[in-house]
Amino acid sequence: MPAILLLNGPNLNLLGTREPGVYGATTLADVEARCRAAAERLGFSLEALQSNHEGALIDAIHQAGVRHRNGELAGVVFNPGAFTHTSVALFDAISGVKPLPVFEVHISNVHARESFRHHSYVSPAAAGIVVGFGVDGYELAIEGLARRIRAA
Ligand code: DQA
């Protein structure tokens, strides 16, 4: 069974208690459990990693690229958190492991928030983007990834 990697960046370990008016009350553990169930329904296993460190996220993307080449990993669903708006290095990492599909997810509608959240360094390298559906966006991205793979 090929795997999907659910990757979460900085501060997303605080889901559930962090600004619940913006990000909701669901914890990261609950998000991961829901995503695991969604992935398994679609015939994939789910691996989940959260890190507050840019380099650890880059390493995870590189490893995902190797595993995608080996046929072990179908793709990545990635919420880069605030690194979305700052990280040329994440853009380079995702660009450097193509054709690994990386779907970018944001819980909140970043375009309806502060202007510094309007630009994403990640989006030009992403296979698709899900923004503003709350934590449901993660499952929507998994569904979209599965459809993309079936269609290919
Ligand atoms: C976020 C949006 C980012 O702007 C913010 O820094 C986050 C979460 C989201 O999921 O809405 O940490 O990626």
Side-chain angles (χ1 to χ4, degrees):
M1 196 194 288
I4 292 173
L5 174 64
L6 175 65
L7 192 56
N8 273 290
N11 302 308
L12 291 158
N13 54 310
L14 300 179
L15 277 183
T17 54
R18 172 194 186 197
E19 299 182 77
V22 177
Y23 299 113
T26 310
T27 64
L28 183 59
D30 287 340
V31 167
E32 290 174 353
R34 282 200 210 168
C35 287
R36 181 158 292 113
E40 287 174 0
R41 272 198 304 275
L42 293 161
F44 299 90
S45 62
L46 188 100
E47 298 171 12
L49 178 74
Q50 186 276 330
S51 179
N52 294 319
H53 305 280
E54 191 174 8
L57 296 168
I58 291 166
D59 289 344
I61 290 164
H62 292 176
Q63 280 160 22
V66 171
R67 294 182 62 214
H68 182 253
R69 275 205 300 283
N70 296 339
E72 298 163 30
L73 192 89
V76 179
V77 169
F78 184 25
N79 185 344
F83 291 146
T84 305
H85 318 298
T86 62
S87 182
V88 176
L90 281 175
F91 168 79
D92 283 347
I94 296 166
S95 302
V97 295
K98 284 192 186 294
L100 170 72
V102 176
F103 287 82
E104 178 183 355
V105 172
H106 298 288
I107 298 165
S108 63
N109 178 0
V110 286
H111 300 289
R113 300 182 62 195
E114 302 95 325
S115 58
F116 61 81
R117 296 184 203 277
H118 295 178
H119 178 259
S120 168
Y121 282 98
V122 171
S123 294
I129 307 162
V130 180
V131 174
F133 285 90
V135 293
D136 291 349
Y138 291 103
E139 287 160 88
L140 295 173
I142 288 170
E143 168 82 31
L145 170 54
R147 285 185 187 217
R148 189 74 69 90
I149 285 164
R150 271 192 230 112

